[in-house]
Amino acid sequence: MRLTKRLNYMDKTPQEKESTEQRIFEAARALFVEKGMAGTRMQEIADKAGINKALLHYYYRSKDKLYTAVVKAVINVAIPKIIGIFESDLPLKEKIEHFLDVYIGLISKNTFLPLFILTELNKHPQEFIDSVMPKDLPKPDQFFKQVEDEISAGNIRPINPRHLIVNLISMSIFPFVAKPMEQLILQLSEEEMQQFLSQRKQEVREFVFASLRPY
Amino acid sequence: MRLTKRLNYMDKTPQEKESTEQRIFEAARALFVEKGMAGTRMQEIADKAGINKALLHYYYRSKDKLYTAVVKAVINVAIPKIIGIFESDLPLKEKIEHFLDVYIGLISKNTFLPLFILTELNKHPQEFIDSVMPKDLPKPDQFFKQVEDEISAGNIRPINPRHLIVNLISMSIFPFVAKPMEQLILQLSEEEMQQFLSQRKQEVREFVFASLRPY
DNA sequence: GTCTATAAAGGGATAGAC
DNA sequence: GTCTATCCCTTTATAGAC
């Protein structure tokens, strides 16, 4: 029985590529993210991984342990990725554009992921704040300083950089997560909605830059 | 056996206040919203309602029917409430302020609700678009016109009103739903985070108004 | 490591008394 | 309307052969 620790579930060392353990993990990840812990059957995971149910218990002792492994891996990959973008060396406006590019691109292809992470983090908030924070989590300090410099230079209006980050993330992630809700509210057809979402990147960019204009 | 239709789960006619059926519904609502359909046990619902498991099946024939009743009620209350605010008779800026007031107030007390609605709507998007849309769903047309009038009058810069609504909703709801995630990203303590969220109303107001300034 | 077979527990649903 | 007792299918977990 093995219970391998893996920080990044996307890591694939050449030797063990497509090992049974990995196939199990990947199948579990996909299903848990889509249907949640309680909504996923061990049998489904086994089927998707192309192996037998008993093997799941051989590699991961219980459903609970398998689930926990998935949750930790997913969150430990996603959070640093978000922060990482803010820590690049680009100038502020390019950084914001880059963030919107990468983000809106990623999310529109991974609809389930944000909801899964949000739900999970809400279920055990303290656990993750404790277990993830101590690590090598990058800090958005550089971004904060950059914003303050631009304010001092009179290039943008005064603004609390933390709220700016939260506004950016909110306007990038939420519309995709809440797509069906918005479709209801805005009364758009599927095609119109698709069209609407494809405009987001440009619209958010314009909205934010307009807001940052100095008074 | 009864299967009462109730549009608003907060309705309580004086006579049947705290009827068994209502207590069941309310217990089910609280648990389903918090833990989802698959994550909630019929036994839990019975316990919370202070009655026996068999009674659940007496009032609602199956778990599935009970769940469906809850989901429809919750969504049929929430969506019109969101749109309703945009249809009031206030001038644009007051309307935006009113929206932020009501919204940020409501959501900060009901953390689970938005995630539940989003998850549900993502699971059966078309079903709800069909079953909710035909009804008396108010349309945000008045708000759209109002925005266009202000643009024509030169009071605000040109902006697509749909994106404005989505920006407002995103910046209001998301930060509360994603509280633990933001705590990780911004590296704030629980108290600092509480403090941060209490500033949201004012910050979003300022951010939006700054963005709407004419060029 | 991987399988088949089976135990053990969990949980939705119903029967029937009151 | 409400309860107790019980059924029975589903699902997790283990035993043991290969």
Side-chain angles (χ1 to χ4, degrees), chain A residues 36-79:
Chain A
M37 152 94 165
T40 301
R41 298 285 85 95
M42 291 295 264
Q43 185 63 58
E44 292 181 87
I45 298 173
D47 291 348
K48 182 151 195 158
I51 49 99
N52 188 280
K53 233 183 5 168
L55 263 189
L56 299 180
H57 290 91
Y58 173 77
Y59 283 101
Y60 301 84
R61 269 174 49 79
S62 67
K63 182 181 185 181
D64 220 70
K65 286 199 168 54
L66 176 52
Y67 186 70
T68 302
V70 166
V71 171
K72 293 211 165 169
V74 167
I75 288 179
N76 279 318
V77 169
I79 301 288

mmCIF file of all heavy atoms in Angstrom, chain A residues 36-79:
data_model
loop_
_atom_site.group_PDB
_atom_site.id
_atom_site.type_symbol
_atom_site.label_atom_id
_atom_site.label_comp_id
_atom_site.label_asym_id
_atom_site.label_seq_id
_atom_site.Cartn_x
_atom_site.Cartn_y
_atom_site.Cartn_z
ATOM 1 N N GLY A 36 -18.768 16.323 -6.265
ATOM 2 C CA GLY A 36 -18.612 16.380 -4.812
ATOM 3 C C GLY A 36 -18.322 15.028 -4.204
ATOM 4 O O GLY A 36 -18.419 13.989 -4.852
ATOM 5 N N MET A 37 -17.951 15.051 -2.949
ATOM 6 C CA MET A 37 -17.593 13.824 -2.238
ATOM 7 C C MET A 37 -18.788 12.867 -2.135
ATOM 8 O O MET A 37 -18.726 11.724 -2.561
ATOM 9 C CB MET A 37 -17.083 14.209 -0.839
ATOM 10 C CG MET A 37 -17.280 13.170 0.240
ATOM 11 S SD MET A 37 -15.800 12.113 0.443
ATOM 12 C CE MET A 37 -16.155 11.343 2.012
ATOM 13 N N ALA A 38 -19.873 13.363 -1.577
ATOM 14 C CA ALA A 38 -21.024 12.493 -1.352
ATOM 15 C C ALA A 38 -21.666 12.057 -2.663
ATOM 16 O O ALA A 38 -22.281 11.007 -2.730
ATOM 17 C CB ALA A 38 -22.052 13.190 -0.470
ATOM 18 N N GLY A 39 -21.507 12.862 -3.686
ATOM 19 C CA GLY A 39 -22.156 12.549 -4.951
ATOM 20 C C GLY A 39 -21.380 11.584 -5.837
ATOM 21 O O GLY A 39 -21.862 11.190 -6.897
ATOM 22 N N THR A 40 -20.201 11.224 -5.418
ATOM 23 C CA THR A 40 -19.356 10.351 -6.236
ATOM 24 C C THR A 40 -19.254 8.949 -5.630
ATOM 25 O O THR A 40 -19.045 8.796 -4.434
ATOM 26 C CB THR A 40 -17.939 10.942 -6.345
ATOM 27 O OG1 THR A 40 -18.019 12.241 -6.924
ATOM 28 C CG2 THR A 40 -17.055 10.061 -7.223
ATOM 29 N N ARG A 41 -19.415 7.921 -6.460
ATOM 30 C CA ARG A 41 -19.313 6.532 -5.998
ATOM 31 C C ARG A 41 -17.910 6.002 -6.240
ATOM 32 O O ARG A 41 -17.303 6.305 -7.271
ATOM 33 C CB ARG A 41 -20.306 5.657 -6.772
ATOM 34 C CG ARG A 41 -21.751 6.034 -6.585
ATOM 35 C CD ARG A 41 -22.260 5.593 -5.220
ATOM 36 N NE ARG A 41 -21.947 6.603 -4.209
ATOM 37 C CZ ARG A 41 -22.742 7.562 -3.799
ATOM 38 N NH1 ARG A 41 -23.941 7.658 -4.286
ATOM 39 N NH2 ARG A 41 -22.364 8.426 -2.885
ATOM 40 N N MET A 42 -17.425 5.188 -5.325
ATOM 41 C CA MET A 42 -16.111 4.563 -5.495
ATOM 42 C C MET A 42 -16.104 3.743 -6.791
ATOM 43 O O MET A 42 -15.090 3.664 -7.482
ATOM 44 C CB MET A 42 -15.792 3.675 -4.297
ATOM 45 C CG MET A 42 -15.554 4.447 -3.007
ATOM 46 S SD MET A 42 -14.093 5.514 -3.059
ATOM 47 C CE MET A 42 -12.852 4.467 -2.286
ATOM 48 N N GLN A 43 -17.239 3.132 -7.090
ATOM 49 C CA GLN A 43 -17.341 2.334 -8.301
ATOM 50 C C GLN A 43 -17.083 3.179 -9.550
ATOM 51 O O GLN A 43 -16.393 2.753 -10.471
ATOM 52 C CB GLN A 43 -18.730 1.682 -8.375
ATOM 53 C CG GLN A 43 -18.883 0.728 -9.537
ATOM 54 C CD GLN A 43 -17.916 -0.455 -9.415
ATOM 55 O OE1 GLN A 43 -17.921 -1.188 -8.440
ATOM 56 N NE2 GLN A 43 -17.049 -0.633 -10.422
ATOM 57 N N GLU A 44 -17.650 4.384 -9.552
ATOM 58 C CA GLU A 44 -17.440 5.281 -10.688
ATOM 59 C C GLU A 44 -15.967 5.582 -10.871
ATOM 60 O O GLU A 44 -15.451 5.614 -12.006
ATOM 61 C CB GLU A 44 -18.143 6.623 -10.461
ATOM 62 C CG GLU A 44 -19.640 6.587 -10.454
ATOM 63 C CD GLU A 44 -20.178 8.001 -10.236
ATOM 64 O OE1 GLU A 44 -20.333 8.736 -11.236
ATOM 65 O OE2 GLU A 44 -20.434 8.400 -9.075
ATOM 66 N N ILE A 45 -15.313 5.857 -9.758
ATOM 67 C CA ILE A 45 -13.890 6.184 -9.826
ATOM 68 C C ILE A 45 -13.113 5.001 -10.401
ATOM 69 O O ILE A 45 -12.271 5.156 -11.290
ATOM 70 C CB ILE A 45 -13.349 6.562 -8.432
ATOM 71 C CG1 ILE A 45 -14.071 7.808 -7.916
ATOM 72 C CG2 ILE A 45 -11.844 6.804 -8.495
ATOM 73 C CD1 ILE A 45 -13.727 8.172 -6.483
ATOM 74 N N ALA A 46 -13.422 3.818 -9.893
ATOM 75 C CA ALA A 46 -12.749 2.615 -10.387
ATOM 76 C C ALA A 46 -12.978 2.453 -11.890
ATOM 77 O O ALA A 46 -12.041 2.207 -12.650
ATOM 78 C CB ALA A 46 -13.249 1.389 -9.634
ATOM 79 N N ASP A 47 -14.233 2.602 -12.310
ATOM 80 C CA ASP A 47 -14.551 2.475 -13.732
ATOM 81 C C ASP A 47 -13.744 3.474 -14.556
ATOM 82 O O ASP A 47 -13.117 3.114 -15.550
ATOM 83 C CB ASP A 47 -16.049 2.732 -13.966
ATOM 84 C CG ASP A 47 -16.902 1.615 -13.388
ATOM 85 O OD1 ASP A 47 -16.328 0.566 -13.025
ATOM 86 O OD2 ASP A 47 -18.133 1.788 -13.287
ATOM 87 N N LYS A 48 -13.782 4.722 -14.121
ATOM 88 C CA LYS A 48 -13.090 5.772 -14.870
ATOM 89 C C LYS A 48 -11.585 5.512 -14.931
ATOM 90 O O LYS A 48 -10.937 5.815 -15.943
ATOM 91 C CB LYS A 48 -13.358 7.128 -14.230
ATOM 92 C CG LYS A 48 -12.713 8.281 -14.968
ATOM 93 C CD LYS A 48 -13.515 9.564 -14.795
ATOM 94 C CE LYS A 48 -13.094 10.614 -15.807
ATOM 95 N NZ LYS A 48 -14.136 11.621 -16.031
ATOM 96 N N ALA A 49 -11.037 4.945 -13.865
ATOM 97 C CA ALA A 49 -9.600 4.667 -13.839
ATOM 98 C C ALA A 49 -9.278 3.354 -14.544
ATOM 99 O O ALA A 49 -8.113 3.020 -14.741
ATOM 100 C CB ALA A 49 -9.105 4.621 -12.396
ATOM 101 N N GLY A 50 -10.321 2.621 -14.906
ATOM 102 C CA GLY A 50 -10.112 1.361 -15.603
ATOM 103 C C GLY A 50 -9.555 0.259 -14.732
ATOM 104 O O GLY A 50 -8.864 -0.632 -15.218
ATOM 105 N N ILE A 51 -9.870 0.311 -13.451
ATOM 106 C CA ILE A 51 -9.395 -0.731 -12.532
ATOM 107 C C ILE A 51 -10.528 -1.181 -11.602
ATOM 108 O O ILE A 51 -11.673 -0.760 -11.757
ATOM 109 C CB ILE A 51 -8.223 -0.239 -11.672
ATOM 110 C CG1 ILE A 51 -8.565 1.101 -11.064
ATOM 111 C CG2 ILE A 51 -6.956 -0.192 -12.484
ATOM 112 C CD1 ILE A 51 -9.041 1.096 -9.683
ATOM 113 N N ASN A 52 -10.171 -2.024 -10.668
ATOM 114 C CA ASN A 52 -11.158 -2.586 -9.757
ATOM 115 C C ASN A 52 -11.307 -1.769 -8.475
ATOM 116 O O ASN A 52 -10.347 -1.178 -7.999
ATOM 117 C CB ASN A 52 -10.740 -3.999 -9.411
ATOM 118 C CG ASN A 52 -11.826 -4.680 -8.637
ATOM 119 O OD1 ASN A 52 -11.947 -4.470 -7.437
ATOM 120 N ND2 ASN A 52 -12.634 -5.450 -9.338
ATOM 121 N N LYS A 53 -12.502 -1.828 -7.930
ATOM 122 C CA LYS A 53 -12.825 -1.083 -6.713
ATOM 123 C C LYS A 53 -11.840 -1.381 -5.586
ATOM 124 O O LYS A 53 -11.431 -0.483 -4.833
ATOM 125 C CB LYS A 53 -14.232 -1.477 -6.261
ATOM 126 C CG LYS A 53 -15.145 -0.329 -6.052
ATOM 127 C CD LYS A 53 -16.531 -0.713 -5.520
ATOM 128 C CE LYS A 53 -16.740 -2.157 -5.172
ATOM 129 N NZ LYS A 53 -18.000 -2.366 -4.416
ATOM 130 N N ALA A 54 -11.473 -2.641 -5.470
ATOM 131 C CA ALA A 54 -10.591 -3.026 -4.361
ATOM 132 C C ALA A 54 -9.246 -2.303 -4.425
ATOM 133 O O ALA A 54 -8.633 -2.033 -3.386
ATOM 134 C CB ALA A 54 -10.381 -4.528 -4.367
ATOM 135 N N LEU A 55 -8.840 -1.989 -5.643
ATOM 136 C CA LEU A 55 -7.546 -1.314 -5.785
ATOM 137 C C LEU A 55 -7.570 0.096 -5.194
ATOM 138 O O LEU A 55 -6.539 0.612 -4.765
ATOM 139 C CB LEU A 55 -7.147 -1.246 -7.246
ATOM 140 C CG LEU A 55 -6.199 -2.337 -7.724
ATOM 141 C CD1 LEU A 55 -5.719 -2.013 -9.121
ATOM 142 C CD2 LEU A 55 -5.019 -2.489 -6.792
ATOM 143 N N LEU A 56 -8.733 0.709 -5.228
ATOM 144 C CA LEU A 56 -8.835 2.033 -4.633
ATOM 145 C C LEU A 56 -8.426 1.977 -3.171
ATOM 146 O O LEU A 56 -7.702 2.832 -2.672
ATOM 147 C CB LEU A 56 -10.270 2.559 -4.730
ATOM 148 C CG LEU A 56 -10.866 2.738 -6.127
ATOM 149 C CD1 LEU A 56 -12.283 3.268 -6.015
ATOM 150 C CD2 LEU A 56 -10.019 3.706 -6.934
ATOM 151 N N HIS A 57 -8.902 0.925 -2.521
ATOM 152 C CA HIS A 57 -8.607 0.800 -1.091
ATOM 153 C C HIS A 57 -7.183 0.341 -0.845
ATOM 154 O O HIS A 57 -6.641 0.521 0.236
ATOM 155 C CB HIS A 57 -9.599 -0.159 -0.435
ATOM 156 C CG HIS A 57 -10.978 0.396 -0.358
ATOM 157 N ND1 HIS A 57 -11.907 0.192 -1.347
ATOM 158 C CD2 HIS A 57 -11.581 1.189 0.556
ATOM 159 C CE1 HIS A 57 -13.030 0.812 -1.027
ATOM 160 N NE2 HIS A 57 -12.860 1.420 0.120
ATOM 161 N N TYR A 58 -6.615 -0.257 -1.871
ATOM 162 C CA TYR A 58 -5.225 -0.667 -1.740
ATOM 163 C C TYR A 58 -4.322 0.575 -1.735
ATOM 164 O O TYR A 58 -3.423 0.700 -0.907
ATOM 165 C CB TYR A 58 -4.843 -1.599 -2.894
ATOM 166 C CG TYR A 58 -3.384 -1.939 -2.939
ATOM 167 C CD1 TYR A 58 -2.845 -2.874 -2.070
ATOM 168 C CD2 TYR A 58 -2.545 -1.311 -3.845
ATOM 169 C CE1 TYR A 58 -1.491 -3.178 -2.107
ATOM 170 C CE2 TYR A 58 -1.198 -1.611 -3.885
ATOM 171 C CZ TYR A 58 -0.679 -2.542 -3.026
ATOM 172 O OH TYR A 58 0.655 -2.852 -3.061
ATOM 173 N N TYR A 59 -4.602 1.508 -2.635
ATOM 174 C CA TYR A 59 -3.748 2.693 -2.717
ATOM 175 C C TYR A 59 -4.128 3.754 -1.684
ATOM 176 O O TYR A 59 -3.266 4.328 -1.034
ATOM 177 C CB TYR A 59 -3.808 3.285 -4.124
ATOM 178 C CG TYR A 59 -2.981 2.505 -5.104
ATOM 179 C CD1 TYR A 59 -3.559 1.593 -5.987
ATOM 180 C CD2 TYR A 59 -1.601 2.666 -5.150
ATOM 181 C CE1 TYR A 59 -2.794 0.878 -6.883
ATOM 182 C CE2 TYR A 59 -0.823 1.952 -6.037
ATOM 183 C CZ TYR A 59 -1.413 1.062 -6.904
ATOM 184 O OH TYR A 59 -0.652 0.356 -7.783
ATOM 185 N N TYR A 60 -5.398 4.002 -1.581
ATOM 186 C CA TYR A 60 -5.877 4.990 -0.604
ATOM 187 C C TYR A 60 -6.768 4.211 0.343
ATOM 188 O O TYR A 60 -7.705 3.570 -0.115
ATOM 189 C CB TYR A 60 -6.654 6.093 -1.318
ATOM 190 C CG TYR A 60 -5.834 6.831 -2.361
ATOM 191 C CD1 TYR A 60 -5.708 6.307 -3.656
ATOM 192 C CD2 TYR A 60 -5.174 8.009 -2.057
ATOM 193 C CE1 TYR A 60 -4.934 6.960 -4.607
ATOM 194 C CE2 TYR A 60 -4.408 8.662 -3.012
ATOM 195 C CZ TYR A 60 -4.293 8.139 -4.277
ATOM 196 O OH TYR A 60 -3.535 8.779 -5.219
ATOM 197 N N ARG A 61 -6.492 4.243 1.598
ATOM 198 C CA ARG A 61 -7.186 3.334 2.506
ATOM 199 C C ARG A 61 -8.718 3.468 2.482
ATOM 200 O O ARG A 61 -9.425 2.477 2.623
ATOM 201 C CB ARG A 61 -6.687 3.531 3.938
ATOM 202 C CG ARG A 61 -5.512 2.642 4.311
ATOM 203 C CD ARG A 61 -4.993 2.999 5.699
ATOM 204 N NE ARG A 61 -6.049 3.099 6.708
ATOM 205 C CZ ARG A 61 -6.610 2.041 7.296
ATOM 206 N NH1 ARG A 61 -6.205 0.825 7.013
ATOM 207 N NH2 ARG A 61 -7.563 2.214 8.186
ATOM 208 N N SER A 62 -9.208 4.672 2.335
ATOM 209 C CA SER A 62 -10.661 4.873 2.388
ATOM 210 C C SER A 62 -11.081 5.989 1.435
ATOM 211 O O SER A 62 -10.245 6.746 0.934
ATOM 212 C CB SER A 62 -11.085 5.249 3.800
ATOM 213 O OG SER A 62 -10.568 6.528 4.121
ATOM 214 N N LYS A 63 -12.346 6.084 1.175
ATOM 215 C CA LYS A 63 -12.870 7.148 0.331
ATOM 216 C C LYS A 63 -12.487 8.509 0.906
ATOM 217 O O LYS A 63 -12.095 9.421 0.182
ATOM 218 C CB LYS A 63 -14.395 7.027 0.249
ATOM 219 C CG LYS A 63 -15.052 8.053 -0.646
ATOM 220 C CD LYS A 63 -16.563 7.900 -0.654
ATOM 221 C CE LYS A 63 -17.200 8.857 -1.641
ATOM 222 N NZ LYS A 63 -18.677 8.754 -1.646
ATOM 223 N N ASP A 64 -12.610 8.599 2.208
ATOM 224 C CA ASP A 64 -12.295 9.844 2.878
ATOM 225 C C ASP A 64 -10.859 10.283 2.622
ATOM 226 O O ASP A 64 -10.598 11.456 2.325
ATOM 227 C CB ASP A 64 -12.520 9.671 4.383
ATOM 228 C CG ASP A 64 -13.156 10.888 4.987
ATOM 229 O OD1 ASP A 64 -14.348 11.121 4.700
ATOM 230 O OD2 ASP A 64 -12.445 11.613 5.707
ATOM 231 N N LYS A 65 -9.936 9.356 2.724
ATOM 232 C CA LYS A 65 -8.525 9.709 2.521
ATOM 233 C C LYS A 65 -8.272 10.102 1.062
ATOM 234 O O LYS A 65 -7.505 11.030 0.784
ATOM 235 C CB LYS A 65 -7.623 8.534 2.911
ATOM 236 C CG LYS A 65 -7.510 8.317 4.403
ATOM 237 C CD LYS A 65 -6.285 7.470 4.738
ATOM 238 C CE LYS A 65 -5.987 7.495 6.241
ATOM 239 N NZ LYS A 65 -7.165 7.099 7.058
ATOM 240 N N LEU A 66 -8.923 9.405 0.154
ATOM 241 C CA LEU A 66 -8.773 9.745 -1.258
ATOM 242 C C LEU A 66 -9.298 11.145 -1.524
ATOM 243 O O LEU A 66 -8.654 11.952 -2.203
ATOM 244 C CB LEU A 66 -9.523 8.717 -2.120
ATOM 245 C CG LEU A 66 -9.569 8.959 -3.634
ATOM 246 C CD1 LEU A 66 -8.194 9.202 -4.215
ATOM 247 C CD2 LEU A 66 -10.232 7.778 -4.340
ATOM 248 N N TYR A 67 -10.448 11.428 -0.957
ATOM 249 C CA TYR A 67 -11.046 12.747 -1.149
ATOM 250 C C TYR A 67 -10.143 13.844 -0.594
ATOM 251 O O TYR A 67 -9.883 14.854 -1.261
ATOM 252 C CB TYR A 67 -12.413 12.803 -0.479
ATOM 253 C CG TYR A 67 -13.154 14.084 -0.745
ATOM 254 C CD1 TYR A 67 -13.649 14.362 -2.003
ATOM 255 C CD2 TYR A 67 -13.337 15.030 0.255
ATOM 256 C CE1 TYR A 67 -14.325 15.537 -2.266
ATOM 257 C CE2 TYR A 67 -14.016 16.210 0.010
ATOM 258 C CZ TYR A 67 -14.511 16.461 -1.251
ATOM 259 O OH TYR A 67 -15.177 17.628 -1.507
ATOM 260 N N THR A 68 -9.673 13.631 0.604
ATOM 261 C CA THR A 68 -8.795 14.616 1.228
ATOM 262 C C THR A 68 -7.560 14.867 0.378
ATOM 263 O O THR A 68 -7.129 16.016 0.198
ATOM 264 C CB THR A 68 -8.369 14.137 2.624
ATOM 265 O OG1 THR A 68 -9.551 13.913 3.401
ATOM 266 C CG2 THR A 68 -7.501 15.163 3.317
ATOM 267 N N ALA A 69 -6.989 13.806 -0.167
ATOM 268 C CA ALA A 69 -5.807 13.956 -1.015
ATOM 269 C C ALA A 69 -6.126 14.840 -2.215
ATOM 270 O O ALA A 69 -5.343 15.731 -2.577
ATOM 271 C CB ALA A 69 -5.322 12.585 -1.484
ATOM 272 N N VAL A 70 -7.284 14.606 -2.827
ATOM 273 C CA VAL A 70 -7.678 15.391 -3.989
ATOM 274 C C VAL A 70 -7.868 16.865 -3.623
ATOM 275 O O VAL A 70 -7.323 17.757 -4.284
ATOM 276 C CB VAL A 70 -8.979 14.833 -4.606
ATOM 277 C CG1 VAL A 70 -9.580 15.824 -5.589
ATOM 278 C CG2 VAL A 70 -8.700 13.506 -5.289
ATOM 279 N N VAL A 71 -8.599 17.100 -2.568
ATOM 280 C CA VAL A 71 -8.891 18.474 -2.176
ATOM 281 C C VAL A 71 -7.606 19.245 -1.900
ATOM 282 O O VAL A 71 -7.412 20.362 -2.397
ATOM 283 C CB VAL A 71 -9.798 18.505 -0.938
ATOM 284 C CG1 VAL A 71 -9.915 19.924 -0.405
ATOM 285 C CG2 VAL A 71 -11.178 17.967 -1.275
ATOM 286 N N LYS A 72 -6.734 18.644 -1.125
ATOM 287 C CA LYS A 72 -5.491 19.353 -0.798
ATOM 288 C C LYS A 72 -4.682 19.650 -2.049
ATOM 289 O O LYS A 72 -4.157 20.752 -2.217
ATOM 290 C CB LYS A 72 -4.661 18.522 0.188
ATOM 291 C CG LYS A 72 -5.346 18.407 1.531
ATOM 292 C CD LYS A 72 -4.357 18.287 2.690
ATOM 293 C CE LYS A 72 -5.107 18.566 3.986
ATOM 294 N NZ LYS A 72 -4.361 18.255 5.204
ATOM 295 N N ALA A 73 -4.578 18.682 -2.933
ATOM 296 C CA ALA A 73 -3.791 18.889 -4.152
ATOM 297 C C ALA A 73 -4.377 20.014 -4.993
ATOM 298 O O ALA A 73 -3.658 20.918 -5.433
ATOM 299 C CB ALA A 73 -3.734 17.584 -4.953
ATOM 300 N N VAL A 74 -5.676 19.961 -5.192
ATOM 301 C CA VAL A 74 -6.317 20.962 -6.044
ATOM 302 C C VAL A 74 -6.121 22.366 -5.488
ATOM 303 O O VAL A 74 -5.755 23.300 -6.218
ATOM 304 C CB VAL A 74 -7.819 20.650 -6.191
ATOM 305 C CG1 VAL A 74 -8.554 21.830 -6.791
ATOM 306 C CG2 VAL A 74 -8.018 19.416 -7.059
ATOM 307 N N ILE A 75 -6.330 22.514 -4.205
ATOM 308 C CA ILE A 75 -6.218 23.839 -3.603
ATOM 309 C C ILE A 75 -4.773 24.308 -3.564
ATOM 310 O O ILE A 75 -4.474 25.473 -3.817
ATOM 311 C CB ILE A 75 -6.853 23.838 -2.204
ATOM 312 C CG1 ILE A 75 -8.379 23.747 -2.372
ATOM 313 C CG2 ILE A 75 -6.470 25.092 -1.426
ATOM 314 C CD1 ILE A 75 -9.151 23.705 -1.093
ATOM 315 N N ASN A 76 -3.869 23.402 -3.292
ATOM 316 C CA ASN A 76 -2.462 23.781 -3.247
ATOM 317 C C ASN A 76 -1.903 24.154 -4.611
ATOM 318 O O ASN A 76 -0.841 24.766 -4.702
ATOM 319 C CB ASN A 76 -1.622 22.655 -2.645
ATOM 320 C CG ASN A 76 -1.681 22.671 -1.130
ATOM 321 O OD1 ASN A 76 -1.620 23.716 -0.505
ATOM 322 N ND2 ASN A 76 -1.833 21.499 -0.524
ATOM 323 N N VAL A 77 -2.593 23.764 -5.662
ATOM 324 C CA VAL A 77 -2.172 24.184 -6.998
ATOM 325 C C VAL A 77 -2.828 25.512 -7.360
ATOM 326 O O VAL A 77 -2.179 26.426 -7.871
ATOM 327 C CB VAL A 77 -2.551 23.121 -8.054
ATOM 328 C CG1 VAL A 77 -2.359 23.690 -9.453
ATOM 329 C CG2 VAL A 77 -1.706 21.879 -7.871
ATOM 330 N N ALA A 78 -4.112 25.632 -7.071
ATOM 331 C CA ALA A 78 -4.875 26.783 -7.555
ATOM 332 C C ALA A 78 -4.484 28.098 -6.882
ATOM 333 O O ALA A 78 -4.273 29.107 -7.567
ATOM 334 C CB ALA A 78 -6.370 26.527 -7.371
ATOM 335 N N ILE A 79 -4.388 28.080 -5.579
ATOM 336 C CA ILE A 79 -4.145 29.334 -4.857
ATOM 337 C C ILE A 79 -2.803 29.976 -5.247
ATOM 338 O O ILE A 79 -2.778 31.162 -5.607
ATOM 339 C CB ILE A 79 -4.225 29.113 -3.333
ATOM 340 C CG1 ILE A 79 -5.614 28.567 -2.949
ATOM 341 C CG2 ILE A 79 -3.955 30.418 -2.578
ATOM 342 C CD1 ILE A 79 -6.739 29.558 -3.035
#
